[in-house]
Amino acid sequence: MNQVSTRQLAEWLDDALQTQRFKDYCPNGLQVEGKDTIRHIITGVTASQALLDAATQQNADAIMVHHGWFWKNENPVLRGAKRQRIATALQHNLNVFGFHLPLDAHPEWGNNAQLARRLGFEPELNDDGTPVNFGPGDLVWRGRCQPCTLEELGRHIERTLGRRPLLLGDPGKQIRTVAWCTGGAQNMMEAAIDCGVDAYITGEASEQNFHMAHESSTAFIAAGHHATERYGIQALGEAIAKQFGIRVDFLDLDNPV
């Protein structure tokens, strides 16, 4: 079985995802150091205890996730579930990689890019072929979808993601232009309204999104934080497998949020 050194993989990932460009809420890259060489990686959305247990049962050398550890402003004390997660990684010499905003933003492997591909959105592109970004941190994408009503777009999202989205706005509203940012980006709706798109898609909703959707020309869709962020980490895993010839398996542990 092929293998790659942990250091070589970490350096390649930092370069490929341009992690140093981002002011993030957590460290990106290798968060917990384990074995020196890696033959098998388990990827998933979140570095939960369930994902760690699955990785150890499969004798994996690393896990790689979108939602890792050591978030800004969290309690730094290692106790309870947090202590158990870290103890599991250390006990089994398991490398833990996490990529948050760099994985959201990547033009090919990122969550926004992959969600657009699955939903059939056509991203708007700059002259150099890169996607048009706007909003806080330039994390929101915009583009076009197949013309439909808000209700029809909701049904399409439900069929594609396997989860019924929350639709805010007139169900009969015609949708042609869309903006999207996966995960918990409901606070970026104002940027989508200012951009003038027909609908804004993200993962979660807040109370004010209801009023914003009904008081503007932009509908709002909350399609699930987990549901919208399953695809970037899969694409990254496939890129790693292709680059280094090692085994990478994605594990989807369902989360209704």
Side-chain angles (χ1 to χ4, degrees):
M1 181 183 296
N2 290 339
Q3 65 183 39
V4 60
S5 75
T6 301
R7 179 177 178 178
Q8 181 185 359
L9 177 60
E11 290 176 349
W12 183 84
L13 286 164
D14 284 340
D15 180 63
L17 294 172
Q18 299 181 21
T19 57
Q20 299 305 314
R21 287 181 48 227
F22 297 87
K23 292 184 65 176
D24 212 334
Y25 314 101
C26 61
N28 287 292
L30 183 61
Q31 296 185 331
V32 176
E33 185 178 7
K35 300 172 184 177
D36 292 336
T37 58
I38 296 174
R39 296 177 175 84
H40 182 200
I41 300 173
I42 295 291
T43 62
V45 176
T46 299
S48 64
Q49 187 64 47
L51 188 74
L52 291 162
D53 290 342
T56 61
Q57 290 167 9
Q58 297 186 40
N59 294 316
D61 305 302
I63 65 167
M64 189 170 296
V65 297
H66 179 49
H67 300 138
W69 296 340
F70 314 116
W71 295 89
K72 183 179 179 181
N73 296 327
E74 75 174 8
N75 190 336
V77 174
L78 299 183
R79 62 186 182 192
K82 185 176 180 180
R83 180 252 178 214
Q84 183 57 47
R85 287 180 178 184
I86 293 175
T88 300
L90 295 177
Q91 178 184 352
H92 294 275
N93 210 14
L94 192 65
N95 291 285
V96 178
F97 292 87
F99 296 98
H100 187 231
L101 294 184
L103 188 57
D104 286 323
H106 194 275
E108 180 182 356
W109 309 325
N111 285 317
N112 280 343
Q114 292 297 315
L115 184 66
R117 183 174 300 176
R118 281 162 175 76
L119 293 178
F121 295 164
E122 181 182 349
E124 185 176 340
L125 301 178
N126 295 304
D127 292 340
D128 62 359
T130 59
V132 170
N133 310 128
F134 66 99
D138 284 336
L139 291 170
V140 184
W141 288 32
R142 72 186 186 204
R144 304 187 68 84
C145 65
Q146 289 294 324
C148 60
T149 66
L150 175 61
E151 185 175 32
E152 289 168 341
L153 180 56
R155 288 199 294 267
H156 170 58
I157 291 172
E158 182 177 3
R159 289 193 298 269
T160 304
L161 303 187
R163 181 189 188 280
R164 179 176 295 179
L166 172 67
L167 308 180
L168 301 179
D170 177 9
K173 176 180 173 59
Q174 290 294 314
I175 308 295
R176 293 179 176 82
T177 59
V178 291
W180 63 97
C181 185
T182 65
Q186 62 268 46
N187 63 336
M188 298 185 187
M189 184 182 181
E190 185 174 357
I193 293 172
D194 292 343
C195 189
V197 295
D198 298 322
Y200 175 59
I201 300 100
T202 186
E204 299 184 29
S206 293
E207 188 271 346
Q208 65 267 25
N209 296 126
F210 173 83
H211 304 291
M212 296 171 75
H214 285 278
E215 295 171 12
S216 72
S217 60
T218 300
F220 178 87
I221 300 175
H225 195 137
H226 177 90
T228 58
E229 295 197 325
R230 288 177 295 189
Y231 307 110
I233 196 67
Q234 292 183 60
L236 179 60
E238 291 166 2
I240 291 169
K242 181 177 180 181
Q243 177 71 21
F244 297 104
I246 62 174
R247 178 183 172 187
V248 183
D249 295 316
F250 173 70
L251 182 59
D252 188 12
L253 300 175
D254 187 45
N255 184 334
V257 177

PDB file of all heavy atoms in Angstrom, residues 144-167:
ATOM      1  N   ARG A 144     -26.209  31.508 -11.561  1.00  0.00           N
ATOM      2  CA  ARG A 144     -27.550  31.300 -12.101  1.00  0.00           C
ATOM      3  C   ARG A 144     -27.974  29.852 -11.879  1.00  0.00           C
ATOM      4  O   ARG A 144     -27.143  28.945 -11.795  1.00  0.00           O
ATOM      5  CB  ARG A 144     -27.597  31.630 -13.592  1.00  0.00           C
ATOM      6  CG  ARG A 144     -27.125  33.044 -13.936  1.00  0.00           C
ATOM      7  CD  ARG A 144     -27.353  33.367 -15.400  1.00  0.00           C
ATOM      8  NE  ARG A 144     -28.776  33.461 -15.712  1.00  0.00           N
ATOM      9  CZ  ARG A 144     -29.501  34.559 -15.535  1.00  0.00           C
ATOM     10  NH1 ARG A 144     -28.952  35.658 -15.031  1.00  0.00           N
ATOM     11  NH2 ARG A 144     -30.780  34.572 -15.852  1.00  0.00           N
ATOM     12  N   CYS A 145     -29.275  29.662 -11.813  1.00  0.00           N
ATOM     13  CA  CYS A 145     -29.844  28.316 -11.748  1.00  0.00           C
ATOM     14  C   CYS A 145     -30.856  28.165 -12.873  1.00  0.00           C
ATOM     15  O   CYS A 145     -31.197  29.138 -13.559  1.00  0.00           O
ATOM     16  CB  CYS A 145     -30.521  28.080 -10.395  1.00  0.00           C
ATOM     17  SG  CYS A 145     -31.967  29.127 -10.092  1.00  0.00           S
ATOM     18  N   GLN A 146     -31.338  26.964 -13.077  1.00  0.00           N
ATOM     19  CA  GLN A 146     -32.421  26.762 -14.023  1.00  0.00           C
ATOM     20  C   GLN A 146     -33.642  27.538 -13.535  1.00  0.00           C
ATOM     21  O   GLN A 146     -34.018  27.427 -12.373  1.00  0.00           O
ATOM     22  CB  GLN A 146     -32.760  25.279 -14.147  1.00  0.00           C
ATOM     23  CG  GLN A 146     -31.728  24.443 -14.872  1.00  0.00           C
ATOM     24  CD  GLN A 146     -31.605  24.817 -16.338  1.00  0.00           C
ATOM     25  OE1 GLN A 146     -32.606  25.150 -16.995  1.00  0.00           O
ATOM     26  NE2 GLN A 146     -30.387  24.790 -16.859  1.00  0.00           N
ATOM     27  N   PRO A 147     -34.278  28.349 -14.384  1.00  0.00           N
ATOM     28  CA  PRO A 147     -35.425  29.145 -13.930  1.00  0.00           C
ATOM     29  C   PRO A 147     -36.509  28.258 -13.316  1.00  0.00           C
ATOM     30  O   PRO A 147     -36.889  27.222 -13.877  1.00  0.00           O
ATOM     31  CB  PRO A 147     -35.917  29.810 -15.218  1.00  0.00           C
ATOM     32  CG  PRO A 147     -34.696  29.873 -16.095  1.00  0.00           C
ATOM     33  CD  PRO A 147     -33.940  28.617 -15.796  1.00  0.00           C
ATOM     34  N   CYS A 148     -36.975  28.655 -12.147  1.00  0.00           N
ATOM     35  CA  CYS A 148     -37.976  27.878 -11.424  1.00  0.00           C
ATOM     36  C   CYS A 148     -38.570  28.757 -10.339  1.00  0.00           C
ATOM     37  O   CYS A 148     -38.109  29.881 -10.113  1.00  0.00           O
ATOM     38  CB  CYS A 148     -37.355  26.620 -10.808  1.00  0.00           C
ATOM     39  SG  CYS A 148     -36.027  26.986  -9.617  1.00  0.00           S
ATOM     40  N   THR A 149     -39.577  28.255  -9.660  1.00  0.00           N
ATOM     41  CA  THR A 149     -40.103  28.971  -8.508  1.00  0.00           C
ATOM     42  C   THR A 149     -39.291  28.610  -7.263  1.00  0.00           C
ATOM     43  O   THR A 149     -38.536  27.627  -7.260  1.00  0.00           O
ATOM     44  CB  THR A 149     -41.573  28.620  -8.263  1.00  0.00           C
ATOM     45  OG1 THR A 149     -41.653  27.228  -7.891  1.00  0.00           O
ATOM     46  CG2 THR A 149     -42.424  28.883  -9.497  1.00  0.00           C
ATOM     47  N   LEU A 150     -39.457  29.404  -6.225  1.00  0.00           N
ATOM     48  CA  LEU A 150     -38.781  29.093  -4.968  1.00  0.00           C
ATOM     49  C   LEU A 150     -39.183  27.712  -4.475  1.00  0.00           C
ATOM     50  O   LEU A 150     -38.333  26.935  -4.004  1.00  0.00           O
ATOM     51  CB  LEU A 150     -39.135  30.156  -3.920  1.00  0.00           C
ATOM     52  CG  LEU A 150     -38.608  29.919  -2.505  1.00  0.00           C
ATOM     53  CD1 LEU A 150     -37.088  29.867  -2.491  1.00  0.00           C
ATOM     54  CD2 LEU A 150     -39.122  31.002  -1.558  1.00  0.00           C
ATOM     55  N   GLU A 151     -40.451  27.384  -4.585  1.00  0.00           N
ATOM     56  CA  GLU A 151     -40.918  26.068  -4.135  1.00  0.00           C
ATOM     57  C   GLU A 151     -40.263  24.951  -4.947  1.00  0.00           C
ATOM     58  O   GLU A 151     -39.846  23.926  -4.392  1.00  0.00           O
ATOM     59  CB  GLU A 151     -42.436  25.992  -4.256  1.00  0.00           C
ATOM     60  CG  GLU A 151     -43.043  24.714  -3.709  1.00  0.00           C
ATOM     61  CD  GLU A 151     -44.563  24.758  -3.744  1.00  0.00           C
ATOM     62  OE1 GLU A 151     -45.124  25.388  -4.654  1.00  0.00           O
ATOM     63  OE2 GLU A 151     -45.181  24.158  -2.854  1.00  0.00           O
ATOM     64  N   GLU A 152     -40.156  25.135  -6.260  1.00  0.00           N
ATOM     65  CA  GLU A 152     -39.532  24.119  -7.113  1.00  0.00           C
ATOM     66  C   GLU A 152     -38.043  23.984  -6.795  1.00  0.00           C
ATOM     67  O   GLU A 152     -37.509  22.864  -6.774  1.00  0.00           O
ATOM     68  CB  GLU A 152     -39.728  24.490  -8.581  1.00  0.00           C
ATOM     69  CG  GLU A 152     -41.171  24.340  -9.052  1.00  0.00           C
ATOM     70  CD  GLU A 152     -41.417  24.969 -10.417  1.00  0.00           C
ATOM     71  OE1 GLU A 152     -40.599  25.832 -10.844  1.00  0.00           O
ATOM     72  OE2 GLU A 152     -42.421  24.615 -11.049  1.00  0.00           O
ATOM     73  N   LEU A 153     -37.382  25.103  -6.522  1.00  0.00           N
ATOM     74  CA  LEU A 153     -35.966  25.033  -6.145  1.00  0.00           C
ATOM     75  C   LEU A 153     -35.804  24.284  -4.830  1.00  0.00           C
ATOM     76  O   LEU A 153     -34.873  23.482  -4.668  1.00  0.00           O
ATOM     77  CB  LEU A 153     -35.383  26.443  -6.030  1.00  0.00           C
ATOM     78  CG  LEU A 153     -33.902  26.541  -5.634  1.00  0.00           C
ATOM     79  CD1 LEU A 153     -33.019  25.746  -6.589  1.00  0.00           C
ATOM     80  CD2 LEU A 153     -33.454  27.995  -5.564  1.00  0.00           C
ATOM     81  N   GLY A 154     -36.722  24.498  -3.905  1.00  0.00           N
ATOM     82  CA  GLY A 154     -36.678  23.775  -2.649  1.00  0.00           C
ATOM     83  C   GLY A 154     -36.808  22.276  -2.841  1.00  0.00           C
ATOM     84  O   GLY A 154     -36.103  21.490  -2.190  1.00  0.00           O
ATOM     85  N   ARG A 155     -37.698  21.870  -3.730  1.00  0.00           N
ATOM     86  CA  ARG A 155     -37.861  20.436  -3.996  1.00  0.00           C
ATOM     87  C   ARG A 155     -36.606  19.854  -4.639  1.00  0.00           C
ATOM     88  O   ARG A 155     -36.200  18.724  -4.339  1.00  0.00           O
ATOM     89  CB  ARG A 155     -39.089  20.194  -4.879  1.00  0.00           C
ATOM     90  CG  ARG A 155     -40.414  20.410  -4.169  1.00  0.00           C
ATOM     91  CD  ARG A 155     -41.548  19.725  -4.906  1.00  0.00           C
ATOM     92  NE  ARG A 155     -41.788  20.329  -6.208  1.00  0.00           N
ATOM     93  CZ  ARG A 155     -42.671  21.301  -6.456  1.00  0.00           C
ATOM     94  NH1 ARG A 155     -43.401  21.784  -5.454  1.00  0.00           N
ATOM     95  NH2 ARG A 155     -42.840  21.785  -7.671  1.00  0.00           N
ATOM     96  N   HIS A 156     -35.994  20.611  -5.530  1.00  0.00           N
ATOM     97  CA  HIS A 156     -34.747  20.160  -6.170  1.00  0.00           C
ATOM     98  C   HIS A 156     -33.642  19.981  -5.129  1.00  0.00           C
ATOM     99  O   HIS A 156     -32.906  18.980  -5.148  1.00  0.00           O
ATOM    100  CB  HIS A 156     -34.325  21.175  -7.229  1.00  0.00           C
ATOM    101  CG  HIS A 156     -32.959  20.957  -7.795  1.00  0.00           C
ATOM    102  ND1 HIS A 156     -32.585  19.784  -8.424  1.00  0.00           N
ATOM    103  CD2 HIS A 156     -31.854  21.772  -7.826  1.00  0.00           C
ATOM    104  CE1 HIS A 156     -31.317  19.874  -8.817  1.00  0.00           C
ATOM    105  NE2 HIS A 156     -30.851  21.067  -8.458  1.00  0.00           N
ATOM    106  N   ILE A 157     -33.530  20.933  -4.223  1.00  0.00           N
ATOM    107  CA  ILE A 157     -32.514  20.828  -3.164  1.00  0.00           C
ATOM    108  C   ILE A 157     -32.791  19.625  -2.275  1.00  0.00           C
ATOM    109  O   ILE A 157     -31.870  18.884  -1.900  1.00  0.00           O
ATOM    110  CB  ILE A 157     -32.481  22.135  -2.345  1.00  0.00           C
ATOM    111  CG1 ILE A 157     -31.906  23.269  -3.202  1.00  0.00           C
ATOM    112  CG2 ILE A 157     -31.662  21.961  -1.072  1.00  0.00           C
ATOM    113  CD1 ILE A 157     -31.992  24.638  -2.561  1.00  0.00           C
ATOM    114  N   GLU A 158     -34.053  19.393  -1.943  1.00  0.00           N
ATOM    115  CA  GLU A 158     -34.402  18.247  -1.107  1.00  0.00           C
ATOM    116  C   GLU A 158     -34.034  16.931  -1.786  1.00  0.00           C
ATOM    117  O   GLU A 158     -33.477  16.021  -1.156  1.00  0.00           O
ATOM    118  CB  GLU A 158     -35.891  18.272  -0.779  1.00  0.00           C
ATOM    119  CG  GLU A 158     -36.321  17.129   0.120  1.00  0.00           C
ATOM    120  CD  GLU A 158     -37.791  17.201   0.511  1.00  0.00           C
ATOM    121  OE1 GLU A 158     -38.494  18.104   0.032  1.00  0.00           O
ATOM    122  OE2 GLU A 158     -38.237  16.324   1.284  1.00  0.00           O
ATOM    123  N   ARG A 159     -34.321  16.816  -3.067  1.00  0.00           N
ATOM    124  CA  ARG A 159     -33.973  15.587  -3.790  1.00  0.00           C
ATOM    125  C   ARG A 159     -32.463  15.387  -3.840  1.00  0.00           C
ATOM    126  O   ARG A 159     -31.964  14.264  -3.704  1.00  0.00           O
ATOM    127  CB  ARG A 159     -34.534  15.641  -5.223  1.00  0.00           C
ATOM    128  CG  ARG A 159     -36.037  15.507  -5.334  1.00  0.00           C
ATOM    129  CD  ARG A 159     -36.450  15.262  -6.785  1.00  0.00           C
ATOM    130  NE  ARG A 159     -36.079  16.392  -7.647  1.00  0.00           N
ATOM    131  CZ  ARG A 159     -36.851  17.443  -7.916  1.00  0.00           C
ATOM    132  NH1 ARG A 159     -38.063  17.520  -7.364  1.00  0.00           N
ATOM    133  NH2 ARG A 159     -36.447  18.404  -8.712  1.00  0.00           N
ATOM    134  N   THR A 160     -31.720  16.468  -4.028  1.00  0.00           N
ATOM    135  CA  THR A 160     -30.274  16.367  -4.207  1.00  0.00           C
ATOM    136  C   THR A 160     -29.548  16.115  -2.890  1.00  0.00           C
ATOM    137  O   THR A 160     -28.641  15.274  -2.819  1.00  0.00           O
ATOM    138  CB  THR A 160     -29.729  17.650  -4.858  1.00  0.00           C
ATOM    139  OG1 THR A 160     -30.422  17.884  -6.091  1.00  0.00           O
ATOM    140  CG2 THR A 160     -28.235  17.524  -5.134  1.00  0.00           C
ATOM    141  N   LEU A 161     -29.952  16.823  -1.839  1.00  0.00           N
ATOM    142  CA  LEU A 161     -29.250  16.733  -0.559  1.00  0.00           C
ATOM    143  C   LEU A 161     -29.872  15.726   0.400  1.00  0.00           C
ATOM    144  O   LEU A 161     -29.281  15.416   1.437  1.00  0.00           O
ATOM    145  CB  LEU A 161     -29.199  18.106   0.114  1.00  0.00           C
ATOM    146  CG  LEU A 161     -28.554  19.245  -0.678  1.00  0.00           C
ATOM    147  CD1 LEU A 161     -28.428  20.485   0.199  1.00  0.00           C
ATOM    148  CD2 LEU A 161     -27.205  18.851  -1.246  1.00  0.00           C
ATOM    149  N   GLY A 162     -31.075  15.257   0.097  1.00  0.00           N
ATOM    150  CA  GLY A 162     -31.730  14.302   0.982  1.00  0.00           C
ATOM    151  C   GLY A 162     -32.219  14.918   2.274  1.00  0.00           C
ATOM    152  O   GLY A 162     -32.340  14.233   3.295  1.00  0.00           O
ATOM    153  N   ARG A 163     -32.522  16.201   2.245  1.00  0.00           N
ATOM    154  CA  ARG A 163     -32.972  16.915   3.445  1.00  0.00           C
ATOM    155  C   ARG A 163     -33.901  18.038   3.010  1.00  0.00           C
ATOM    156  O   ARG A 163     -33.581  18.783   2.082  1.00  0.00           O
ATOM    157  CB  ARG A 163     -31.773  17.508   4.190  1.00  0.00           C
ATOM    158  CG  ARG A 163     -32.129  18.243   5.470  1.00  0.00           C
ATOM    159  CD  ARG A 163     -30.901  18.977   5.993  1.00  0.00           C
ATOM    160  NE  ARG A 163     -31.101  19.557   7.320  1.00  0.00           N
ATOM    161  CZ  ARG A 163     -31.745  20.705   7.531  1.00  0.00           C
ATOM    162  NH1 ARG A 163     -32.263  21.386   6.526  1.00  0.00           N
ATOM    163  NH2 ARG A 163     -31.863  21.165   8.775  1.00  0.00           N
ATOM    164  N   ARG A 164     -35.042  18.186   3.673  1.00  0.00           N
ATOM    165  CA  ARG A 164     -35.988  19.228   3.307  1.00  0.00           C
ATOM    166  C   ARG A 164     -35.478  20.582   3.780  1.00  0.00           C
ATOM    167  O   ARG A 164     -35.232  20.782   4.966  1.00  0.00           O
ATOM    168  CB  ARG A 164     -37.361  18.963   3.921  1.00  0.00           C
ATOM    169  CG  ARG A 164     -38.398  20.041   3.586  1.00  0.00           C
ATOM    170  CD  ARG A 164     -39.763  19.682   4.131  1.00  0.00           C
ATOM    171  NE  ARG A 164     -40.281  18.489   3.478  1.00  0.00           N
ATOM    172  CZ  ARG A 164     -41.470  17.941   3.782  1.00  0.00           C
ATOM    173  NH1 ARG A 164     -42.216  18.472   4.745  1.00  0.00           N
ATOM    174  NH2 ARG A 164     -41.878  16.865   3.142  1.00  0.00           N
ATOM    175  N   PRO A 165     -35.308  21.546   2.877  1.00  0.00           N
ATOM    176  CA  PRO A 165     -34.815  22.854   3.287  1.00  0.00           C
ATOM    177  C   PRO A 165     -35.923  23.736   3.846  1.00  0.00           C
ATOM    178  O   PRO A 165     -37.111  23.504   3.591  1.00  0.00           O
ATOM    179  CB  PRO A 165     -34.267  23.436   1.982  1.00  0.00           C
ATOM    180  CG  PRO A 165     -35.149  22.837   0.930  1.00  0.00           C
ATOM    181  CD  PRO A 165     -35.481  21.443   1.419  1.00  0.00           C
ATOM    182  N   LEU A 166     -35.525  24.745   4.597  1.00  0.00           N
ATOM    183  CA  LEU A 166     -36.441  25.780   5.064  1.00  0.00           C
ATOM    184  C   LEU A 166     -36.475  26.873   4.011  1.00  0.00           C
ATOM    185  O   LEU A 166     -35.436  27.429   3.651  1.00  0.00           O
ATOM    186  CB  LEU A 166     -35.957  26.346   6.394  1.00  0.00           C
ATOM    187  CG  LEU A 166     -36.698  27.576   6.926  1.00  0.00           C
ATOM    188  CD1 LEU A 166     -38.140  27.226   7.298  1.00  0.00           C
ATOM    189  CD2 LEU A 166     -35.958  28.173   8.121  1.00  0.00           C
ATOM    190  N   LEU A 167     -37.678  27.191   3.505  1.00  0.00           N
ATOM    191  CA  LEU A 167     -37.851  28.218   2.477  1.00  0.00           C
ATOM    192  C   LEU A 167     -38.522  29.435   3.095  1.00  0.00           C
ATOM    193  O   LEU A 167     -39.589  29.314   3.709  1.00  0.00           O
ATOM    194  CB  LEU A 167     -38.712  27.691   1.318  1.00  0.00           C
ATOM    195  CG  LEU A 167     -38.299  26.362   0.675  1.00  0.00           C
ATOM    196  CD1 LEU A 167     -39.265  26.000  -0.439  1.00  0.00           C
ATOM    197  CD2 LEU A 167     -36.868  26.437   0.160  1.00  0.00           C
TER     198      LEU A 167
END
